[in-house]
Amino acid sequence: MTMMNAEQYEESLRRLNLVVHMFGKRLENVVDDPIIRPSMKAVAKTYELAHRPEHEDIMTATSHITGKKINRFTHIHQNIGDLVKKSKMGRLLGRETGCCFQRCVGMDSLNALSIVTFNIDEKYGTEYYKRFLKYLEYVQENDLTCDGAMTDPKGDRSLPPHKQPDPDQYLHVVGQKKDGIVVRGAKAHQTGAVNSHEIIVMPTLTMREEDKDYAISFALPSDTEGIVYIMGRQSCDTRKLEGDTIDRGNILFGGHEALVVFNDVFVPWDRVFMCREYDFAGQLVEDFAAYHRQSYACKVGVGDVLIGAAQTIAEYNGAEKASHIKDKIVEMNHLNETLYCGCIACASEGQKEASGTYAVNTLLANVHKHNVTRFPYEIARLAQDIAGGLMVTMPAEKDFKSPETGKWLHKYFKANSDVPTENRMRILRLIENITLGTAAVGYLTEYMHGAGSPQAQRIMISRRINLREKQKAAKKLCGIE
Ligand code: SF4
Ligand code: FE
């Protein structure tokens, strides 16, 4: 089976035996849990769209190792066109789901490893690239969702991994056997972790020789013995326990993050892609980060949804003709399309690496992600401005349905007489969801810190700009030798 559909994906998750904890207890049924299920549905969209003829060009690709048609989320970028399509795929899915659809981290890990394993082999004569290709074929053939796990808890930020009072603050090798290694540690903020078949672990920062036990990369099935998932909370998450109510805002989809603990987990050698080659840890981090910063094309799609919601509530309120509302909608679009420029530009300016994989332009990918840490906050501010205060003072759906209070709510929350009050509720709840509720994790805070906090991009920007060239251009024009 080279491409699963949405139903097959869901069934494949049912076969996993994950250890997942939430609200103080272990979940018996992860797939049907009302809080997790919307996030699973968002990943399922990546499978569903791949089977739609109108999205085939964006959502599928031809494997460079088997020549078969595969889901683009398992593809290794072979040219600039692939990179551009990846950005377009992110926007498409962001617009379809209105949240984080989680599958990009795995795609970005695979692509980064396809560059770095090759480079390690070139220097050390190891065989990581061969192993990686075998693993990649397995992922492509089974159309798997992979969690790309980079972020360690990091403990005391002033200390490198080997100097931490608790050595497990960074995931590391604690034992070596003939057939593999044993690892201990954790990865934090793991997007889509419990909707994944596989976990691909990478180091979180540049390492020195003293940290070599921390310079590891490997992949494991997500239900490997010793791996434990502890679900993160999201604002308004328990509204999902109220059933399919309007109060959820986005009644179809959601995202999730989890802390993933590796409690002395065994990794066989054929799934190890870096082991103590500390001088390549930084490259793996940078390559993954650049790809993932490009992936924030997803935010443009969620921005499309928010802009659509803002225009809709303006119409429902009868305010859409006011010049300041029109101007705010233009401003939101300007910001959102500026974001789009960034993720298309870093793809268009990509280049071929030694392994044959196409990498994005690192400077432009970092500029794009840096814009993402800012513009959505302004887009959300404008959406809340247009929405009005009712977005946060509106009573519950149950009160609208109550025979005692419903009549008052329908009467006093009516605006444009052509629009049912319920529709006004629905669109306001969607704006609330994206700017304050569960989707705000993915639209705001995750924009800030996901794929690296703003300072990480500023460091990369400062490293990649050519200031001397710019100075030369200036000096030439005014006659300085
Ligand atoms: Fe993909 Fe965006 Fe979610 Fe990251 S935040 S996994 S890029 S959808
Ligand atoms: Fe992310």
Side-chain angles (χ1 to χ4, degrees), residues 157-187:
R157 271 58 174 172
S158 70
L159 300 172
H162 74 280
K163 286 222 172 108
Q164 293 287 333
D166 176 355
D168 304 337
Q169 291 298 341
Y170 289 80
L171 196 142
H172 60 135
V173 183
V174 291
Q176 186 162 328
K177 300 178 178 179
K178 217 173 97 209
D179 47 352
I181 53 174
V182 179
V183 298
R184 188 188 302 153
K187 293 288 180 181

Side-chain angles (χ1 to χ4, degrees), residues 351-378:
Q351 77 280 328
K352 191 176 185 175
E353 296 294 320
S355 67
T357 303
Y358 270 70
V360 287
N361 178 294
T362 304
L363 173 61
L364 296 183
N366 278 275
V367 168
H368 168 58
K369 169 67 210 326
H370 205 53
N371 288 339
V372 166
T373 66
R374 299 174 174 187
F375 297 175
Y377 282 87
E378 181 62 9

Side-chain angles (χ1 to χ4, degrees), residues 187-231:
K187 293 288 180 181
H189 327 298
Q190 289 309 298
T191 296
V194 310
N195 294 328
S196 302
H197 307 98
E198 290 277 323
I199 304 187
I200 302 174
V201 167
M202 297 161 286
T204 203
L205 40 74
T206 301
M207 305 275 174
R208 290 177 295 184
E209 189 171 2
E210 309 88 276
D211 296 320
K212 64 179 190 299
D213 281 345
Y214 296 84
I216 45 171
S217 177
F218 58 85
L220 282 173
S222 52
D223 58 356
T224 301
E225 195 184 340
I227 301 180
V228 177
Y229 302 84
I230 307 164
M231 296 294 294

Side-chain angles (χ1 to χ4, degrees), residues 283-414:
Q283 198 202 335
L284 186 52
V285 174
E286 277 187 21
D287 288 351
F288 170 78
Y291 278 130
H292 201 50
R293 288 168 192 172
Q294 174 205 11
S295 284
Y296 278 48
C298 64
K299 315 304 185 194
V300 186
V302 183
D304 288 331
V305 175
L306 189 54
I307 293 167
Q311 175 66 26
T312 305
I313 191 60
E315 291 172 13
Y316 287 2
N317 287 345
E320 81 277 17
K321 294 205 177 75
S323 62
H324 73 98
I325 298 282
K326 285 190 198 160
D327 193 52
K328 281 164 188 160
I329 295 285
V330 170
E331 178 68 11
M332 291 168 86
N333 277 291
H334 168 70
L335 292 169
N336 204 44
E337 297 304 332
T338 305
L339 292 179
Y340 190 53
C341 294
C343 60
I344 292 294
C346 69
S348 307
E349 296 277 305
Q351 77 280 328
K352 191 176 185 175
E353 296 294 320
S355 67
T357 303
Y358 270 70
V360 287
N361 178 294
T362 304
L363 173 61
L364 296 183
N366 278 275
V367 168
H368 168 58
K369 169 67 210 326
H370 205 53
N371 288 339
V372 166
T373 66
R374 299 174 174 187
F375 297 175
Y377 282 87
E378 181 62 9
I379 296 171
R381 188 183 75 80
L382 291 166
Q384 292 188 348
D385 179 350
I386 294 170
L390 184 59
M391 181 186 96
V392 289
T393 62
M394 191 164 57
E397 180 184 352
K398 286 194 174 87
D399 293 312
F400 278 82
K401 284 188 172 152
S402 156
E404 282 165 64
T405 52
K407 56 183 184 281
W408 303 119
L409 297 181
H410 281 282
K411 175 181 163 75
Y412 288 116
F413 289 138
K414 184 102 191 153

